[in-house]
Amino acid sequence: IIMLILLAGCAPHAREDTTLQEIEAISAMKELTLVEYRVRKIVKADDEGPWYKIGERKILLSCTAFLKAGIDLSSFGADDVVYDRSAGTVSVTIPHAKLLTLDIPPSEIREEYDHVTLLRSSFTVEERNALLRQAEKQIRESVPSLGILEKADENARRFFESVFTKMGFSVIEVQFE
C-alpha cells in the first residue's frame, strides 16, 4: 500500500517534468517552418532609352521563388504555456507566422525573350540583377495576398494541438501574440 501511495504521489511530477521537457524541446527548434510555396514571377523591361539612343531593347525574364513561412520560436518558452495536468487543459501563446525565407535559385531564372536592335547594347548583368531584385521585392509585397501567413498560422495551431494531445491534454487553446 505504501508503494502505491508513493508511486501515485510521484506520477504527476514525472508527467509534469515530461511536459516541461517537451516545451523546452519545442523552444530549442528556434524556427518552425509550416508552409512552403512555389511562386512563379515574370519580369518585363522595355527600355526605349533617351532620345539620342536609336532603337529599342526588351527583355522578359521568368523566375521561380520558393517561400517558407512559419513561426519564430526563439522567444518561446515555458512562460508561454499554462497547463493544469489534473484538468487536462493547456493554453499556449505563440507568435503569428512570418515569412522565414524567400529563395530564387539561379537554376530557376530563365530568359524568355530578348530583343535588341542593332544600335543598342544588350542588357547587362547588373540590369538583369536589378530586374530580379524588383521581382523579389514584388513577391515579398504580395505575401499577404497569397494567404501563406494565414495557412502557416492554421498549421501552427494544428501542430501545437497535436503535440499537446499526444502529451495527454484534452482541452487545448492556442493563442497568437
Side-chain angles (χ1 to χ4, degrees):
I1 295 175
I2 294 174
M3 281 295 272
L4 289 175
I5 293 172
L6 288 174
L7 286 174
C10 294
H13 296 294
R15 261 192 274 145
E16 187 171 310
D17 289 343
T18 303
T19 302
L20 290 175
Q21 288 173 352
E22 291 287 332
I23 293 167
E24 288 173 5
I26 291 169
S27 65
M29 289 191 291
K30 302 297 179 207
E31 278 186 352
L32 179 62
T33 301
L34 297 157
V35 185
E36 183 173 341
Y37 275 39
R38 182 179 173 156
V39 176
R40 193 132 167 90
K41 180 73 178 164
I42 304 292
V43 183
K44 177 179 118 176
D46 187 358
D47 182 16
E48 295 289 329
W51 65 270
Y52 57 86
K53 290 188 177 182
I54 301 169
E56 63 181 27
R57 61 185 192 154
K58 298 177 182 187
I59 192 167
L60 187 67
L61 300 173
S62 68
C63 61
T64 302
F66 297 92
L67 291 76
K68 291 182 182 179
I71 55 176
D72 179 6
L73 294 171
S74 61
S75 62
F76 179 79
D79 297 343
D80 298 311
V81 180
V82 178
Y83 62 94
D84 181 353
R85 266 283 174 204
S86 61
T89 63
V90 63
S91 175
V92 59
T93 304
I94 57 174
H96 275 286
K98 66 178 187 176
L99 185 65
L100 299 174
T101 62
L102 188 155
D103 183 33
I104 303 175
S107 62
E108 296 293 330
I109 300 169
R110 304 226 185 327
E111 182 180 297
E112 304 293 342
Y113 177 76
D114 184 16
H115 173 73
V116 180
T117 58
L118 282 174
L119 301 174
R120 298 293 306 270
S121 60
S122 295
F123 284 88
T124 65
V125 173
E126 292 81 20
E127 289 171 323
R128 291 169 190 258
N129 287 339
L131 290 171
L132 292 171
R133 282 192 299 275
Q134 174 189 344
E136 181 179 342
K137 181 182 175 202
Q138 290 172 352
I139 292 169
R140 282 188 192 281
E141 291 170 352
S142 71
V143 165
S145 66
L146 293 174
I148 186 172
L149 300 179
E150 291 81 7
K151 187 67 175 172
D153 277 346
E154 179 184 325
N155 288 349
R157 181 181 306 282
R158 288 181 182 168
F159 171 80
F160 280 96
E161 287 172 351
S162 173
V163 166
F164 287 109
T165 298
K166 288 179 183 174
M167 291 170 59
F169 292 97
S170 56
V171 178
I172 302 152
E173 180 183 1
V174 180
Q175 302 171 359
F176 292 94
E177 293 179 332

